[in-house]
């Protein structure tokens, strides 16, 4: 990872656009609908340190003299600075953004190819439902109640996983937040038993031959057990904060116990799964999925 992506809350924050022209207007459009206070500076005012007081970010565009003076002032005020089309002068690069309100996705290439980032953004945007932000708003409203009802992290993840595929999320997607909130509160009151599973995912690679379902299983996993010769590109699709265990130390019964506790377990295999492990899981009543490469690959 050549650059670390981070999200800055914008409520109550100042963002400076220093300079004028199409480039400055394009940066300003990034903040349409955001709660940030957007301040435009031009001329000598952009060269004063005090103009940047309290600002989080500063975007600067103009000729070399203007850029040098404005950047020096912004840096002296403690701003993070982006100078348009001059990566070596930037503290951060502007990603291609998918904006769904409370849900924001960003694609960056560390300034190497904004066009490539834009193309990838278009692919992601086509798959991201317009109502995704409303689902996030719903979960934020009741976040405290969910945490109180499900203090255990694994149980909470399992509950939220079921909510995201249920009626409450559907109502939020459709814009009926009042009904969505009622449904979510009812689900919290009902509680629920931990629902885990064990997924066997093909690990020989290449990663682009995995099915979408297998990719999602890797992204949702709480626990990863991978054969030593797993393709690194397949392993890279797993959640980075998922726990890792050696498969040699785990029997089918041990995996079943983890799943019954609500964990989403992914066993990445480079050869056929051991029938004894599959039988042990089935006997224990655990949901098992075997996800190999896409058909025809």
């Amino acid at each position: 990872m050549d650059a670390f992506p981070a999200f800055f809350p914008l409520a109550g924050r100042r963002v400076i656009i220093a300079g004028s022209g199409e480039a400055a207007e394009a940066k300003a459009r990034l903040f349409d609908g955001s709660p940030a206070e957007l301040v435009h500076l031009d001329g000598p005012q952009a060269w004063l340190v005090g103009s940047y007081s309290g600002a989080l970010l500063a975007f600067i565009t103009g000729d070399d003299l203007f850029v040098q003076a404005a950047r020096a002032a912004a840096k002296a005020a403690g701003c993070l600075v982006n100078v348009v089309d001059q990566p070596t002068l930037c503290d951060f690069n502007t990603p291609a953004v998918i904006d769904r309100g409370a849900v924001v996705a960003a694609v960056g290439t560390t300034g190497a190819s904004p066009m490539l980032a834009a193309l990838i953004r278009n692919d992601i945007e086509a798959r991201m439902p317009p109502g995704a932000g409303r689902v996030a708003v719903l979960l934020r409203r009741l976040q405290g109640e969910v945490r109180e009802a499900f203090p255990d992290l694994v149980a909470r993840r399992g509950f939220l996983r079921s909510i995201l595929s249920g009626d409450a999320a559907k109502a939020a997607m459709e814009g009926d937040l009042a009904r969505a909130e009622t449904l979510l509160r009812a689900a919290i009151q009902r509680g629920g038993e931990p629902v885990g599973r064990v997924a066997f995912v093909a690990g020989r690679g290449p990663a682009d031959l995995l099915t979408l379902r297998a990719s999602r299983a890797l992204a949702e996993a709480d626990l990863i057990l991978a054969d030593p010769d797993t393709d690194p590109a397949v392993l890279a699709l797993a959640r980075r904060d998922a726990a890792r265990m050696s498969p040699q130390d785990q029997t089918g019964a041990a995996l079943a116990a983890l799943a019954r506790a609500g964990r989403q377990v992914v066993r990445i295999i480079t050869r056929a799964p051991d029938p004894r492990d599959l039988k042990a899981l089935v006997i224990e009543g655990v949901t098992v999925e075997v996800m190999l490469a896409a058909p025809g690959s």
Side-chain angles (χ1 to χ4, degrees), residues 9 24 93 118 231 269 275 291:
N93 301 113
D231 184 336
I269 54 175
M291 307 172 188

Side-chain angles (χ1 to χ4, degrees), residues 133-172:
R134 291 191 287 270
V135 178
V137 168
L138 168 69
L139 295 176
R140 182 169 58 196
R141 283 184 185 176
L142 275 69
Q143 187 177 55
E145 295 176 43
V146 171
R147 286 180 178 273
E148 184 177 353
F150 301 93
D152 178 74
L153 179 59
V154 172
R156 187 161 66 246
R157 281 178 177 162
F159 173 76
L160 291 173
R161 198 175 286 118
S162 68
I163 290 299
L164 290 171
S165 59
D167 291 339
K170 182 179 178 182

Side-chain angles (χ1 to χ4, degrees), residues 12-31:
R13 307 307 295 263
R14 297 180 74 221
V15 175
I16 305 294
I17 308 292
S20 58
E22 175 55 32
E25 293 172 8
K27 296 301 183 186
R29 284 195 294 271
L30 289 173
F31 297 89

